[in-house]
Amino acid sequence: MKNLVIVESPTKARTIRKFLPSSEYRVEACMGHVRDLPASASEIPKKYKSGKKTPHWVQLGVNVEEEFEPLYVVPSDKKKVITELKSALKDADRLYIATDEDREGESIGWHLLEVLKPKVPVQRMVFHEITKTAILDALNKTREVDKRLVDAQETRRVLDRLVGYEISPLLWRKIAPKLSAGRVQSAAVRLLVQREWERIEFVSAGYWDLKARLAKGRPAFDAQMTHYAGTRLATGRDFDEKTGKLKKKEVLLLDEDRARQLVDQLKTEPWRVTKVEEKSQKRRPYPPFITSTLQQEANRKLGLSAKDTMRTAQRLYEQGLITYMRTDSTNLSNEAIEAARKKVERDYGTEFLSPKPRRFSSSSKNAQEAHEAIRPSGTEMLTADEQGLTGRERSLYDLIWKRTVASQMADARLQFTTATIEAGSKPEETGTFRASGKRIEFAGFFRAYVEGSDDPGAALEDQENVLPALQAGDDLTCKKLEAIGHETKPPARYTEASLVKELERLGIGRPSTYASIIGTIVARAYARRNGKQLVPSFTAFAVNQLLEQQFDKMVDFDFTARMEQTLDEIADGKIDAIPYLKGFYYADDDGLKERVEEGIEEIDPRKVSTITTKKWDPYVVRVGKFGPYVEGKVNEDIVTASLPNEIAPDELTVTKIKELLAAKEADDLVLGIHPEHEQPVLLREGPYGWYVQLGDDEQAGKPKRASVPKGMVPEQVDLDLAVDLLSLPRLVGNHPETGEPILSNFGRYGPYVQLGRTYASLTDDDNVLTVGLERALELISKKTRKNAPLKTLGNHPETGEPIALYEGRYGPYVKHLKTNASLPKGADMDAFTLDQAVDLIAKKEAAPKKRRRRRK
């Protein structure tokens, strides 16, 4: 008997092949989803496009007129995969669907059956780790495809398509092209925008206190002033964030002068301990990782984005090294608990082992689907070194290993000491100070894992702050007393870690989707990364304004969370999907369809794209087709100026706006009138440098623009040069053999010459306006030779894209898409195989990227 097992990826297939006899089992990969809703008009079958106009539901890919039936198509890049799977199925007596155990995996399996239409028995096998034991156990405990899970996933896909395809065109019409909306994406953008508004409206306040360096023998310790004459000193929490004023009148606000007076007054007074309090505390270890907590800790400790974390975890899972990485469950299997406890006892000692096995329950609002937390696979709990891992895979595996092992370790015991200290001889002139200490009595699980730190040993040292032995009545010596100024800080922007944490707290979306959501937000320029911070753009503000105005339910956090609960209920068979979709789409007053139609008629594009705050009065920010700009009066004329990309919304001030408008007024020079078009030629400075423009912004259509050559100062640009620049692309000549035109032009990366699809950059010695045919042919010839591979090794088993071997400046290398990987020293180019290249590329992609040093 021959059995066909279908999984998603070639890596997963290769791992499973190791555990099953090839004489009985054939394991193949379907390369992810084999069917989906049409991604573009070209994918829509011709039979649906007959007539003069394609029906609206066909453009949506969902038949909203007939029970919301999805229009599934097989993308062109999957047709070859389907053909190969059908061929393999002809030789099979049984088909095993072995896709991932979550809803998406269930959906992929169902789509496979719909496309392959197998005539042999079909069984669904599920497992949460790829080990021999797990695979053999799954073969003995198969089930049917769960249609309820499929329905929930289909409903999610339909909801996302309806929201994206109905609202996005409205954004294009009212704000700017290429914008997008998404059911969870828009809620996440709203969080970023709300936080930035808090920062914009924040009013900073200043306050002072005193810090003392005290001693009773050795060592010296620090104490902070908390009261003066019995009245508490104001701290940051006492100020209103929008006014900068004190919320309470019963606190004492010190300014710099008064603080320095107190320094002079108290430093010569007697200092004594009035009270010492000690308190013991136990700390329990954290639960093992689930998807969201792994993303958060990998971002904090390793600096990985959510997308990079999930990509790396996927590779670890498919290699059989960790359990399934899309999970909401903190549960550990009995074998995992036993393996972790043995590892603790062996590596740390019995005293570091918890008295009995620890079991954890999930706190996620929508916990579902998965059977176990993310942990090292198998029963050995092998370390990263024992697994032979390197690079990013090693770092992430080590993080998972530490968290898993620590979960079965003993509690950490800490002792906190608080000493109250007074300085002064008169009650009405006495300053009260507080000194705090912390001592780790027993490290417990801290030995293996400290949240937020990549080095538990160093973290233990950082956590301790031991005070000397103090008792009430002890006299102290003041070694130093200084006045310290403080300013209240606005709330911190979201990082990927804190955004994931907040989305999970609100119950919005699924943790397995957070990586793609954040990736989309950045790709669509709704936010940019500044270090670990996510800084929302002005475009995000405008989009959020439109959505809050017209689709308030769509960006309401509670409503979005309830949608997740509804999807869970569909998966449980408690709710029928079709009535729910009808209500969402067709409901009176607040149905998606009606709100979109109303928005087309009633939304004022200029108003919804205008962002105002009292902090910018009398100026405003607007978002136009070409990006955000400021607008206001300069010498009684209305002037606009583009906003540089690097300005964050909370950093924009009236002073900065005035500077931008003044510079625009001065720099918007008219070089003359174009000799052919009889329109003014302007010289301007934009976000990416100087450029010339034909006509003003008020003319119909987009005015023609051309970049000023790099290194050229504005004073060197005259009308003749501007006319030449606006005439680009320029015909250099025709290729002597093919007759094809060769053009010169400016592009995103500077000046170039072009022959068909071959682009060759010009050097600093070349001039885009004068480069000759001979020189252009030379550059194109070099580029063609440089781009030609020595040989093509074959197609990558996961992407289907070619892998080629090249000779580079630093030696031979293989290339796959955008990844280049150098061959090992001494490798034989002639004998180098496709499998060797695949492994080399995988290691390169897994290795952490080096930061480039900025040129000064």
Side-chain angles (χ1 to χ4, degrees), residues 122-141:
V122 176
Q123 292 176 288
R124 173 80 165 105
M125 56 183 289
V126 292
F127 42 87
H128 60 274
E129 62 180 341
I130 307 177
T131 61
K132 185 173 184 178
T133 301
I135 297 302
L136 295 179
D137 189 51
L139 284 170
N140 293 322
K141 296 178 181 177

Side-chain angles (χ1 to χ4, degrees), residues 58 79 129 223 421 444 557 565 577 626 830:
V58 175
K79 289 180 179 178
E129 62 180 341
I421 299 157
F557 301 137
Q565 294 170 9
F626 307 115
D830 295 330

Side-chain angles (χ1 to χ4, degrees), residues 35 78 105 293 496 502 510 525 618 658 695 704 751 807:
R35 286 200 313 178
K78 292 299 173 68
T293 54
E496 288 202 26
E502 184 65 5
R510 299 233 49 82
K658 287 180 177 178
K704 185 167 185 179
E807 179 66 60

Side-chain angles (χ1 to χ4, degrees), residues 710-847:
K710 186 178 178 182
M712 185 172 284
V713 296
E715 290 77 15
Q716 295 175 292
V717 183
D718 57 17
L719 179 61
D720 291 339
L721 175 62
V723 169
D724 288 340
L725 291 171
L726 290 167
S727 69
L728 294 173
R730 164 180 161 265
L731 177 65
V732 177
N734 295 319
H735 194 282
E737 296 177 7
T738 66
E740 287 185 272
I742 296 177
L743 306 174
S744 67
N745 200 357
F746 269 107
R748 182 179 178 186
Y749 303 108
Y752 63 87
V753 287
Q754 173 191 357
L755 173 64
R757 293 189 176 183
T758 300
Y759 298 81
S761 296
L762 296 178
T763 68
D764 292 340
D765 296 328
D766 297 310
N767 188 319
V768 70
L769 299 174
T770 60
V771 63
L773 179 60
E774 186 177 346
R775 173 61 174 161
L777 289 169
E778 178 189 348
L779 291 169
I780 289 169
S781 177
K782 283 183 179 179
K783 183 65 179 285
T784 304
R785 290 198 304 272
K786 180 181 177 182
N787 289 345
L790 299 176
K791 64 178 177 179
T792 299
L793 300 175
N795 294 332
H796 195 287
E798 293 186 16
T799 66
E801 296 295 327
I803 298 177
L805 179 64
Y806 291 81
E807 179 66 60
R809 181 179 178 185
Y810 303 106
Y813 66 94
V814 288
K815 180 173 183 177
H816 168 249
L817 296 176
K818 295 183 178 180
T819 301
N820 296 344
S822 297
L823 267 63
K825 192 173 181 180
D828 185 350
M829 287 192 291
D830 295 330
F832 207 71
T833 67
L834 176 62
D835 286 342
Q836 287 175 298
V838 170
D839 290 341
L840 204 60
I841 286 165
K843 288 179 181 177
K844 179 65 180 287
E845 291 176 340

Side-chain angles (χ1 to χ4, degrees), residues 401-431:
W401 184 91
K402 287 176 178 175
R403 181 98 164 203
T404 306
V405 168
S407 73
Q408 296 304 312
M409 294 179 73
D411 293 343
R413 296 195 303 273
L414 298 89
Q415 185 181 64
F416 294 88
T417 304
T418 303
T420 303
I421 299 157
E422 290 185 353
S425 52
K426 299 177 182 178
E428 66 274 14
E429 295 179 355
T430 296

